[in-house]
Amino acid sequence: MAPRIRTYDAAKIRAAVTAQFGHIADAVRELTPEQLGRDSGLGDWTVADLAAHIAWIADSLAGGLARPPAIMAELTAVEWPSATASLAGKIAEAAKETLDGAPPSELPELIDRAGARMAEALAANPGRRVLNLWIGDMTLADFLVTRTVELVVHTDDLNRAAGVDIPIERQALAACTRLLADALALKAPGGSVEVRIPPFAVVQCIEGPRHTRGTPPNVVESDPLTWIRLATGRTDWASAVEGAQVRASGERADLSALLPVMS
């Protein structure tokens, strides 16, 4: 069974991306040198490196809008998570170059400048457009949905690494959760397992007997942040199940071989 194509409210996604970036920028301004020097938990990145990467996320969106548009989209939002792995090294290098030798003390100015450039570019491009991107040409609407994933995931990374409490916009959290759930359904199509992430998403996946009524025999359920951490490799299946952050019932309700869906 092929997963259904989900639609998103473009205006709400734009607002969520802008607001979430703003929350991060506010927090970065308040980070101390000690916090910026902490291990981010992402390879050899410090918290400063992670903040620079977030600035690059906004700046690269503005850069994409500044280039001539592509003719036709090659990649949809739901295909994006599985396509990111091939560009991980290139993206990491681009993020490091964002600092360009500048000290971490200049990060607030850097992230403010990137946010302003993104806001200006979005305001100048209110309609439909296909972006010419490294990862594959995408509609602006689809690419903005993927920005909710980047920003929500890295907000969570910053909160844990720097010991801060950056709020997460509900609309951004919802879009991020749904996109990663749909990416799982695309990766393992079928109807034998129902994955529930209340209140935002329910998908079916994995080949096998499909239930049509009543309680499905194979159910996986988690809260949104746990699901996002599983889907992006921030936590592993066994730990989440053991810690009761995931409830899995049924002989097919083991997603460990399918996770993460994005790395």
Side-chain angles (χ1 to χ4, degrees), residues 180-198:
L180 292 173
D182 290 344
L184 172 69
L186 183 67
K187 183 177 183 178
S192 68
V193 179
E194 185 164 286
V195 180
R196 301 171 178 172
I197 311 142

Side-chain angles (χ1 to χ4, degrees), residues 15-149:
V17 167
T18 302
Q20 194 60 46
F21 187 86
H23 293 323
I24 294 170
D26 289 344
V28 168
R29 292 187 204 103
E30 302 299 322
L31 293 178
T32 65
E34 185 274 331
Q35 287 172 307
L36 289 169
R38 290 183 190 177
D39 181 0
S40 71
L42 305 173
D44 62 354
W45 280 8
T46 64
V47 169
D49 293 325
L50 174 55
H53 173 68
I54 295 168
W56 175 83
I57 290 169
D59 205 55
S60 63
L61 172 55
L65 286 167
R67 291 191 291 272
I71 296 173
M72 183 180 299
E74 302 170 332
L75 193 68
T76 63
V78 74
E79 294 170 319
W80 171 83
S82 63
T84 57
S86 64
L87 288 176
K90 188 173 183 179
I91 290 170
E93 285 303 312
K96 280 189 174 290
E97 289 172 6
T98 301
L99 277 174
D100 195 25
S105 61
E106 294 185 12
L107 268 171
E109 181 182 352
L110 182 75
I111 203 164
D112 284 347
R113 192 164 58 242
R117 188 179 178 216
M118 178 182 72
E120 182 179 352
L122 286 173
N125 291 274
R128 298 174 61 86
R129 185 185 177 95
V130 179
L131 300 181
N132 181 352
L133 302 169
W134 288 348
I135 200 165
D137 298 343
M138 297 181 69
T139 66
L140 174 58
D142 271 2
F143 191 58
L144 283 172
V145 177
T146 73
R147 301 306 84 190
T148 68
V149 177

